[in-house]
Amino acid sequence: MLGFGVVFKKALGVCLMKWFFWIFCLSFAWWPGNLVAEVPCRGRALAAEDGTASGVEDCELNLWTARAALRKHLAPCVQAMQRADLRVFGALRFDLFLAPGGGLLSVHQTRSTFDKTDLPNCAIRVIRRRMNRPRAGGEGKPVVVSLRLRVDEDDFSLEWTASVVAEQKKVEVLDQNPLPGGFRKSLTGPVTTCAMGAGSLVLRLESLERGQPGWHPAMNDTNPMQVLDSCLAPVLGEGQSRRKQRTHRRKESKCLSKLLTHPDPRVRVLAADAIHDAWHWRARRALDRAGREMVVEGACRVGDKDCTTHAPAGYWPGMALVRILRAQVRLQRRIRDEVLTAVLKHDMASVRLRFVRDVMRVWKGGVPDLLAPLYRDPDPLVRVHACQRACLEGNWQARHGFVELLDAKEPGLRAIALLHAQACARQESGELRLRLSTETEAGLAALMRLLVTDQDPELTRQAADGLLHDCPLVRYLSARWLARLPEPPADAIEEALAREQDPLLREGLLRLQSGQREPRHREQIWWQTSAR
């Protein structure tokens, strides 16, 4: 009986091993990780970066992605991130530029929370190795393909997307009635204007790779910088030990504190910027003392109510006071009321505007009521920037000042309100919608549509009509608004393409028609008076 049991056990083990072998083979053959979902292809041309047809068809792209087997080769990268201490979940996007024939020209990664991990670099290495397999033949423009890598706690998925060139209907080009105007070339990018009232709206398009320059004091000579360097030169030669580093910081703070009372206000500007950038906490009292000495007349003690305050005359003394106040705010030092009152009394609007941009922007704990006069400042640019900063803090007084600017008769005042107080515009969406129905300037109406979050048929009709406006700025902003819609009106886009003569606007319409909504330029819009 025991021998029969042993024989039966061996026979059952052999059968199970045979069955397990075939089950393993079938499961490996049909495992989803080794399959690439084949989208039904019809030989359609994929869109290039400019919206026109590339030299790659959808069937070719399906073949390339299937042979690359990216899911299999990306699995070690994702698993390594999931096992690490820092685990991030979400979506990661890559833009691939593929040449006709299968060659990979470049890979660009969109910034995300995965940048703190090694997953983006590992994925880019795998994509370059697996997708760069050029084959003979192929002419035309490269295609732009997006790869979306979705990472979950225990799995990940891949999704390929590419824009297909829309099947354009044959539309007769109406040469006898082309749309006027267009963009002109400049040193910083294409520029176009739209005249209204006593000035005009100006739109300039810059490349997304171009950086924004920061503000630096414009010096006529190098004397202020030499004063700062001569003061810090003996200090910067200290060693790198921790004790010497503390000594170095103490000497540097003492040196910069002395420069806050320098006769040249430009040196004071540089010293305040150095304290602000290096977080010199020891210089807080020196900042407080220097700011008060610039605005208080006579030998007044702290807390005296009879002291007379005055704003420092001139641009550079006013700028020195503003930079000192900015450093005080960053170092969490309370600014005295008499100093704030003196800044509001400065006779130059550029100094008051710099105070709003530099000091109110970094103010902690809400904007104080003492700065309420800025919402009624005689200079409209100072007023609108102050309203913008206060609207971000939820101040109702600033929203009231913004509505008053929208009711102004001059189109320039309404333009700067829409351009520089967009936080107030989004909070006053109802008021903005009422002004939109009565706005007579097409350029300002196009700006209002971009700030309104609704997407009702009436706004769609207005934006479609804006594609045929005489002003190229209105046509550009109307196309920008239509790009928000899931399905832009095809008839309006085709009619605009039939009459549009400007190459840049035509390229934007073609991209909109092919489903490419991402902006290719950084937009800068400002109001310019006719006297400039």
Side-chain angles (χ1 to χ4, degrees):
M1 189 67 180
L2 182 61
F4 175 76
V6 173
V7 173
F8 176 77
K9 183 178 180 181
K10 291 183 178 180
L12 181 61
V14 172
C15 295
L16 288 177
M17 289 182 62
K18 292 182 179 180
W19 295 344
F20 178 76
F21 173 76
W22 290 109
I23 292 174
F24 174 77
C25 293
L26 290 175
S27 63
F28 184 80
W30 292 98
W31 186 254
N34 297 321
L35 292 178
V36 178
E38 295 185 0
V39 180
C41 59
R42 294 179 293 178
R44 297 170 296 180
L46 300 179
E49 186 179 9
D50 57 359
T52 59
S54 66
V56 180
E57 296 182 351
D58 53 357
C59 296
E60 292 180 294
L61 181 61
N62 282 347
L63 180 62
W64 298 344
T65 56
R67 292 180 177 177
L70 283 183
R71 178 178 172 85
K72 173 183 176 182
H73 294 84
L74 285 175
C77 299
V78 178
Q79 293 171 1
M81 191 275 297
Q82 292 174 341
R83 292 192 302 265
D85 295 336
L86 179 60
R87 304 174 63 192
V88 181
F89 306 110
L92 184 60
R93 176 181 169 181
F94 301 93
D95 292 330
L96 286 69
F97 290 79
L98 298 173
L104 180 62
L105 300 179
S106 61
V107 182
H108 300 287
Q109 174 222 341
T110 304
R111 291 186 176 274
S112 64
T113 55
F114 289 92
D115 294 344
K116 299 179 181 180
T117 66
D118 192 52
L119 179 59
N121 296 329
C122 182
I124 289 177
R125 290 194 296 267
V126 172
I127 292 173
R128 287 175 176 172
R129 184 174 67 251
R130 299 298 304 175
M131 292 297 297
N132 191 18
R133 295 186 175 183
R135 291 159 181 81
E139 296 180 356
K141 300 179 180 180
V143 63
V144 183
V145 184
S146 296
L147 173 61
R148 185 172 180 268
L149 173 60
R150 177 76 184 182
V151 180
D152 299 323
E153 293 187 6
D154 53 356
D155 199 4
F156 71 98
S157 60
L158 301 177
E159 180 182 354
W160 294 91
T161 57
S163 300
V164 180
V165 177
E167 298 179 359
Q168 303 179 11
K169 300 178 182 179
K170 293 183 179 180
V171 181
E172 182 181 359
V173 179
L174 305 178
D175 294 334
Q176 68 274 14
N177 191 20
L179 294 174
F183 284 82
R184 65 177 186 273
K185 294 182 179 180
S186 68
L187 296 177
T188 54
V191 178
T192 186
T193 59
C194 185
M196 57 184 73
S200 58
L201 276 179
V202 184
L203 169 64
R204 179 172 63 198
L205 303 180
E206 294 184 353
S207 175
L208 291 176
E209 287 77 16
R210 182 187 297 272
Q212 294 294 328
W215 182 87
H216 298 284
M219 301 298 180
N220 297 328
D221 48 48
T222 57
N223 289 334
M225 190 64 70
Q226 289 178 357
V227 173
L228 186 67
D229 292 341
S230 63
C231 178
L232 297 180
V235 179
L236 296 178
E238 298 287 346
Q240 297 299 321
S241 65
R242 181 170 298 181
R243 182 177 179 181
K244 289 187 177 181
Q245 285 180 2
R246 289 196 299 265
T247 304
H248 160 70
R249 290 275 298 179
R250 186 165 52 251
K251 292 181 179 180
E252 183 175 305
S253 177
K254 185 177 180 180
C255 169
L256 294 175
S257 299
K258 291 182 179 180
L259 292 183
L260 292 176
T261 58
H262 195 276
D264 191 344
R266 298 176 297 175
V267 176
R268 282 178 265 165
V269 170
L270 295 175
D273 288 346
I275 293 174
H276 173 274
D277 297 339
W279 288 78
H280 281 290
W281 293 89
R282 294 183 179 89
R284 289 184 295 172
R285 292 184 178 180
L287 289 169
D288 189 11
R289 184 170 55 252
R292 193 170 184 274
E293 289 177 355
M294 293 180 66
V295 301
V296 176
E297 293 181 352
C300 296
R301 292 177 298 176
V302 177
D304 289 347
K305 297 182 179 180
D306 298 333
C307 289
T308 303
T309 60
H310 66 94
Y315 175 77
W316 280 111
M319 286 301 304
L321 180 59
V322 169
R323 305 305 258 192
I324 288 174
L325 297 183
R326 185 185 71 141
Q328 281 188 259
V329 172
R330 183 170 191 182
L331 298 178
Q332 299 179 3
R333 183 74 177 182
R334 180 182 176 273
I335 300 178
R336 300 184 183 276
D337 295 345
E338 58 267 21
V339 179
L340 290 178
T341 305
V343 174
L344 303 183
K345 295 178 182 178
H346 201 280
D347 56 349
M348 298 187 67
S350 58
V351 174
R352 300 196 302 272
L353 178 61
R354 183 57 61 181
F355 171 79
V356 173
R357 289 180 173 177
D358 287 354
V359 181
M360 290 184 65
R361 181 176 57 87
V362 296
W363 202 289
K364 299 178 178 64
V367 179
D369 296 335
L370 191 63
L371 301 181
L374 288 173
Y375 311 144
R376 300 291 185 272
D377 194 274
D379 187 80
L381 198 57
V382 176
R383 191 190 323 165
V384 72
H385 276 279
C387 291
Q388 166 72 5
R389 298 312 312 172
C391 282
L392 292 174
E393 300 290 340
N395 192 309
W396 65 271
Q397 295 180 354
R399 294 165 63 179
H400 182 68
F402 169 75
V403 174
E404 289 183 352
L405 286 173
L406 288 182
D407 293 334
K409 295 182 179 180
E410 298 82 359
L413 296 180
R414 304 198 300 272
I416 63 174
L418 295 172
L419 292 173
H420 302 294
Q422 296 186 3
C424 300
R426 293 186 176 92
Q427 294 177 9
E428 296 290 340
S429 181
E431 295 287 342
L432 199 64
R433 190 63 186 271
L434 292 176
R435 302 307 189 281
L436 180 58
S437 60
T438 59
E439 181 58 56
T440 57
E441 298 290 347
L444 299 182
L447 280 177
M448 289 182 182
R449 280 195 298 270
L450 288 177
L451 295 175
V452 174
T453 57
D454 300 338
Q455 297 182 1
D456 56 18
E458 178 62 22
L459 293 180
T460 304
R461 183 193 63 79
Q462 295 176 6
D465 295 340
L467 295 179
L468 304 178
H469 197 271
D470 293 342
C471 177
L473 185 144
V474 176
R475 303 200 295 269
Y476 179 88
L477 296 181
S478 300
R480 274 284 317 278
W481 191 90
L482 291 175
R484 299 178 177 179
L485 302 178
E487 296 182 1
D491 297 338
I493 297 176
E494 292 173 359
E495 184 179 359
L497 279 172
R499 297 180 55 186
E500 186 59 66
Q501 303 294 320
D502 184 74
L504 196 147
L505 291 174
R506 285 189 60 85
E507 177 184 343
L509 290 173
L510 289 172
R511 288 172 56 85
L512 180 60
Q513 191 179 47
S514 61
Q516 301 184 36
R517 313 295 174 84
E518 295 82 5
R520 297 185 59 196
H521 302 88
R522 180 187 293 110
E523 303 160 0
Q524 287 189 348
I525 309 177
W526 68 91
W527 173 260
Q528 178 175 297
T529 59
S530 56
R532 298 178 73 178

